Amino acid sequence: MILLVLADRLSADRFPLHRYVRSIGATVIGVVTGMVWIGLVTQGRAGCSTSPAVIGTIASGVLATAVATHWATRSSPPWTVAAENSGDASAEPLNQSELRSVFVRLVAQVDSWTPIRFRILPFATGTLAVLLVLSTVLPWRELLDPVALGPTASEAGLARSQLWEIPSARNWAVLLCALALATLVCAGLLRRAAAVAAGSVVVAGLASHLLWLPDRLASGVGYRPGVGAWVALGLAVLLVVAGVVGRRGVPVVAGAAVVGVVAGLLLPSATGSPYEPTVVAGVPHRLLDLQGGQLVDRLGMRVSIGTSDPLDSLAGTLDGSPGQWLLGRTGSESSTVFAYDDGVALPQVTLNHGATPPALWGVSDNRMILLAGGELGRPWAILSVPLDLVSADISLSHKNPNGKYYVTPGVDVLATGVGPALSHRNADRSIVIWGATTTWQIPANQLRVGMSLRDFVINPGHGAPGNAVSTGPDGTTAWRTSETGLAIVRRGGVPQQLTGVAPAGCALSSDAASSSLTVDAFAVDVRGNLWLGGGAPTSVITPDGVLRKLPGGAEGVESIEARPDGSVLLGTSPGGGDQILEIPDAAQAATSYPAEPSPEPRCDRRRAVDGATTYTTTVVSPVPMVGATGGVSTQLGLDAAGRLVRVRVPLAARAWAPDGQGGVWWTVVGRGSAETAVHLVRGRTSEVRDPRPVSADQKDASAAAAGDRLVTAVGGGIYNLYSPGGRVTRVKAPGELRELVQLPSGQVCMVLGERLVLVSPSGQSSLLLGGAASGWPISTPGIQASQLTTDGIWFAGPDGKPWVYDGSHLVRVDAPGRVTVIAGPNQGVPQAADDVTVIGRSLYFQLGNDVLRLEATR
């Protein structure tokens, strides 16, 4: 623009060249503006389009282009000579009257410039005030990485937020907006006073608060003000200079300056104490608001949470001293640990961890403890990383010549294993790790070099190995027994089943066992309260055994952590963005929450029904795996020596089922879309081929077996019956299939919707029980057969009749409308088991990684 003005002045006396220069200049300015904007945006990082450089380029370039275009298109009227003054006027001398008239006209024109000169000051002060407010409100950013990965990390931790984004400094923005508005609407002396007040507020405030920097760390990392703060300071100085120009009203301007300085010194500091919301007892408030998986601290640092569980990224000190640390993702295979103090995130150590981010447990003795790795089949390790390192390699991708995993020198490997591995912290200052078949609980003060994991194996009850366990300082222990089951035992008490035994559709009630709960996370706090979260509303079971829902609600909780200070943290992901909710007084306030109503009669599981048979329960030693190497699904069976094994089912199998005698059936589709049934008995296999093809639209199949008999569902209400001798017949039974039971007699029991139907090999069917959409549990005595539900695991019992396991009872169907409760929890039947397998006269229940064998004593 300066070059254009210079060229325009040099060509002013040559009219054609003058217009040509203006046209070319306007075009060049427009092209340069566009090229610079494209270059900055395409070469910069995400968010570059809102940076100060780009905003300034666009504003200045558009303004310059508009002015140059106006010059180029403006038409100047040609010089004309009046008719009465035609002729050669240069030869005629001017008389005194004409000279006087020209002088008077020039003086009047000069005098008319005075108002224009004095109008510049109010316009400039108002414009500067608006720019000052914009520099405060707009979220301008510095074009630098939030975390530098260089050898010194000297550029790490840049402040990237302006006043409006800091809760404790919003009063600054409000006051500046008011002063800017006063500067624009007022005139004369009041306008200059408002301009001086605005500038004084900003100068004093920035000098006393915003320019204060946290102490630098040992690695040299620290903060510095963002671009917006410097812009605000510069504009404030210009406001003060522009406001004091002129000699009139010096006392008013000086008074406004004093008021501005006092206001700037007394307003809340942006780096002062963090914002503390009003906390209602039991209602969680946001500890961290990770919208979209990002945390923005109060000075604008953006930290991306890279772990699937947000609580794995937030940790305190293991010894209970003040301090919090945050693990943020800063690369595709790297993260950085931040010291999160007073709402400010200070970067510490950069971790190169590979594709799987670590779980941060806490900090002790200036070293952070974390769990690295943990994927299925991959190595994992407990590591101790010094906080004074710039970066550390914890990827566990290489081994040293001595066979140990390579980590950066200075990093200690406390223990290792092979995945999967998950972990969480307990309120008694212990860490729990659970893998494929084992669970370890390690006190925080025993995380040291040379520790042996064998010394920390924990098994509070059936199903605990390989599952999550949570303990409190008072001795209360809760653990997951199966996929749906959760149990608890208190000091000096007996284990109690909490979930996985209620019928489907039971509403939340005061008794957890009588409520249909989907528990994704749980934790025991310092007072023995058990917190539950997941698909159901977040709730707590107090020591009196009453279930109480969290006031205010917190839906979709995926992880829970009870802290030693009595608070409880909830990890959630509402709308796809991670959040961490804190209940500060959780342990103390839990008993004051209102209790849920009593359970419905059909859901009440507080009184178990006694059966006619008593069983002895034996925990089976670890069961070996045999069969196809590529198989994933397994079934319990017997090998050639008669030992209990887990048989891997081939990946190509469409359906599989145990035969009740230690063998396993499965079906595969071979050539010509024909179904082939394979029967594995004590290490030997036999095949039976169905001559008719399977329908092309069949996706999944169900199967049930009893000895040499097998039934499979092939779609469309059609079932294949495999009989001894290799015969294959088809029967049709309309209805929505839920369960299949093959009886040794050749008849088939089918759960079709809410009905249990008995189908003969000829296709004739008869109703055994059921029919109601929401019925009573089948173990409830005195209820009509049409009101009994068919929920549960159905199988052929040792006596050849249809049996069902409803989560806590074994029930037999003797005839249409006649059922018999064989046994319940009081007779040794485990609760909330994942599966039941019959082998001979024994029943095998799977609870997590435990296998329990039940044998009838009478």
Side-chain angles (χ1 to χ4, degrees), residues 615 660-661 797-800 838-843 854-856:
Y615 289 89
Q661 302 298 325
D799 56 3
V838 177
I839 300 179
R841 307 298 298 179
S842 302
L843 282 76
L854 269 66
E855 294 178 324

Side-chain angles (χ1 to χ4, degrees), residues 146-501:
V147 177
L149 303 180
T152 61
S154 58
E155 296 297 328
L158 298 178
R160 291 176 167 243
S161 177
Q162 305 312 312
L163 298 181
W164 193 260
E165 297 179 356
I166 305 174
S168 61
R170 288 176 182 169
N171 293 334
W172 285 82
V174 173
L175 180 61
L176 290 175
C177 287
L179 293 175
L181 181 63
T183 306
L184 290 177
V185 300
C186 298
L189 185 59
L190 292 180
R191 177 172 292 172
R192 288 200 299 273
V196 172
S200 301
V201 165
V202 176
V203 172
L206 288 174
S208 61
H209 297 302
L210 290 183
L211 294 185
W212 174 86
L213 301 179
D215 295 336
R216 290 185 175 271
L217 305 176
S219 60
V221 177
Y223 275 88
R224 69 183 184 188
V227 170
W230 294 110
V231 172
L233 184 60
L235 294 178
V237 173
L238 291 178
L239 279 177
V240 174
V241 173
V244 298
V245 172
R247 298 180 180 179
R248 294 180 298 175
V250 174
V252 177
V253 174
V258 172
V259 172
V261 170
V262 173
L265 293 175
L266 297 181
L267 279 178
S269 171
T271 57
S273 59
Y275 171 70
E276 294 290 345
T278 302
V279 179
V280 181
V283 179
H285 70 81
R286 286 193 295 259
L287 174 66
L288 298 176
D289 191 355
L290 310 176
Q291 295 294 344
Q294 274 195 344
L295 165 71
V296 182
D297 71 357
R298 60 190 183 85
L299 290 183
M301 170 65 72
R302 294 183 179 270
V303 180
S304 298
I305 302 303
T307 57
S308 58
D309 180 1
L311 292 184
D312 282 342
S313 297
L314 182 68
T317 54
L318 296 176
D319 60 359
S321 59
Q324 287 194 92
W325 278 262
L326 192 65
L327 182 68
R329 180 67 72 90
T330 52
S332 60
E333 295 187 353
S334 63
S335 299
T336 298
V337 176
F338 294 81
Y340 190 66
D341 186 18
D342 198 20
V344 179
L346 295 172
Q348 303 276 301
V349 185
T350 298
L351 304 174
N352 301 315
H353 49 67
T356 304
L360 183 62
W361 288 353
V363 172
S364 178
D365 297 331
N366 204 36
R367 301 175 72 93
M368 59 181 172
I369 311 298
L370 49 85
L371 175 67
E375 284 187 331
L376 180 63
R378 301 294 298 251
W380 57 265
I382 304 174
L383 303 178
S384 175
V385 182
L387 289 176
D388 55 3
L389 287 180
V390 175
S391 62
D393 184 359
I394 59 170
S395 61
L396 306 180
S397 57
H398 304 286
K399 287 189 176 182
N400 292 321
N402 57 6
K404 297 182 179 180
Y405 294 108
Y406 169 78
V407 290
T408 300
V411 177
D412 294 332
V413 180
L414 307 185
T416 60
V418 178
L422 299 171
S423 67
H424 67 77
R425 296 175 289 267
N426 283 331
D428 61 353
R429 301 193 190 281
S430 64
I431 310 294
V432 172
I433 313 172
W434 62 97
T437 58
T438 311
T439 300
W440 302 272
Q441 183 174 0
I442 310 171
N445 59 0
Q446 298 188 35
L447 289 165
R448 56 180 178 266
V449 179
M451 58 178 287
S452 176
L453 289 178
R454 292 191 301 270
D455 300 335
F456 304 104
V457 175
I458 182 174
N459 185 9
H462 301 324
N467 279 329
V469 177
S470 180
T471 61
D474 64 345
T476 301
T477 302
W479 71 95
R480 192 179 297 279
T481 60
S482 60
E483 292 183 1
T484 60
L486 194 68
I488 188 173
V489 61
R490 301 189 184 274
R491 180 173 295 173
V494 295
Q496 296 179 353
Q497 193 72 30
L498 298 178
T499 62
V501 294

Side-chain angles (χ1 to χ4, degrees), residues 25-81:
T27 304
V28 170
I29 291 178
V31 171
V32 170
T33 300
M35 293 179 61
V36 172
W37 178 78
I38 293 174
L40 288 175
V41 172
T42 56
Q43 297 179 16
R45 295 175 176 86
C48 187
S49 57
T50 59
S51 67
V54 177
I55 292 177
T57 299
I58 294 175
S60 302
V62 170
L63 180 62
T65 304
V67 172
T69 304
H70 174 68
W71 283 357
T73 57
R74 184 180 62 179
S75 58
S76 301
W79 291 94
T80 58
V81 181

Side-chain angles (χ1 to χ4, degrees), residues 437 622-629 631-636 639 644-649 849:
T437 58
V623 182
M625 198 84 64
V626 298
T629 57
V632 177
S633 301
T634 62
Q635 281 286 344
L636 290 177
D639 62 4
L644 185 67
V645 295
R646 294 183 187 270
V647 180
R648 292 192 188 96
V649 180
N849 291 300

